[in-house]
Amino acid sequence: MPLILPRIPSGAALGLLSMLSLAACANFSPASPPRLDEGGAAVEGLYQVTAENITQIRARALDTLNNTRQDSGLSAVISDPYLEQAANGHSRSMSDQGRAWNFGADGSSPPERARRAGFQGTVLGELVSETYETEVQAIATWMGNDLARKTLLDPAARRIGFGLWQDISGKLWWTLVVAD
């Protein structure tokens, strides 16, 4: 759930942001993967995505999704590099636009972005999220929404692209493209 702060004068806001940034760094080592509790929440400080932990984050997202699908009697999906490229680009685009939605800044749709990235199959759906939550929590939130759940548990799904972008405030922009 996004953090909502009261309106703060700009000088005070900059000071607060600096303090939060320093506090978040105090208990975090970018070389180590984020530690999660049993519910999938970050244990220490701000959940940071880095070049050193992005592979573990993607693997954890894929494992979480496949465990969920397996519990529903469905086959596993695999990560597709073209869909991942499209999803990463869309996550960055949503951050730039300041809203989580399925339209690119250029008006593109999920199938258009996948085709531009080189994907040849059929896009079955795209899920997006704007949050400070982890990938595990994002997937759990999607599972709590009937339409998103149908996308995650689509029996025709075979490939996914899991994209993310973390903006300067620490907010995460998640995109999950599901395809045949």
Side-chain angles (χ1 to χ4, degrees), residues 16-177:
L16 178 61
L17 182 59
S18 296
M19 286 189 303
L20 288 173
S21 297
L22 289 173
C25 293
N27 292 323
F28 181 75
S29 168
S32 64
R35 290 189 16 225
L36 306 181
D37 66 16
E38 291 177 9
V43 174
E44 295 177 352
L46 186 64
Y47 190 71
Q48 291 284 341
V49 177
T50 67
E52 290 82 12
N53 67 25
I54 188 70
T55 301
Q56 294 97 340
I57 290 170
R58 289 188 192 287
R60 194 168 33 247
L62 184 61
D63 287 346
T64 300
L65 179 55
N66 280 331
N67 288 337
T68 302
R69 289 179 58 83
Q70 182 180 15
D71 288 347
S72 297
L74 298 168
S75 62
V77 294
I78 61 169
S79 181
D80 181 280
Y82 298 114
L83 294 175
E84 186 176 296
Q85 179 183 342
N88 277 331
H90 187 58
S91 291
R92 175 76 186 259
S93 174
M94 289 188 301
S95 174
D96 291 345
Q97 294 177 72
R99 65 190 291 182
W101 68 335
N102 299 103
F103 297 99
D106 60 356
S108 61
S109 68
E112 289 170 319
R113 290 188 295 275
R115 269 193 304 278
R116 272 191 259 163
F119 182 69
Q120 299 293 317
T122 302
V123 172
L124 303 171
E126 177 183 78
L127 305 176
V128 298
S129 178
E130 161 192 8
T131 184
Y132 289 93
E133 295 178 337
T134 68
E135 65 285 353
V136 174
Q137 291 170 306
I139 292 170
T141 299
W142 289 328
M143 285 298 292
N145 174 285
D146 289 341
L147 187 57
R149 182 181 178 85
K150 286 178 186 175
T151 300
L152 291 171
L153 300 181
D154 189 326
R158 298 291 177 262
R159 296 175 281 181
I160 65 160
F162 194 74
L164 62 142
W165 176 260
Q166 187 164 39
D167 67 25
I168 195 163
S169 75
K171 184 182 287 183
L172 293 157
W173 301 83
W174 302 105
T175 303
L176 179 63
V177 181

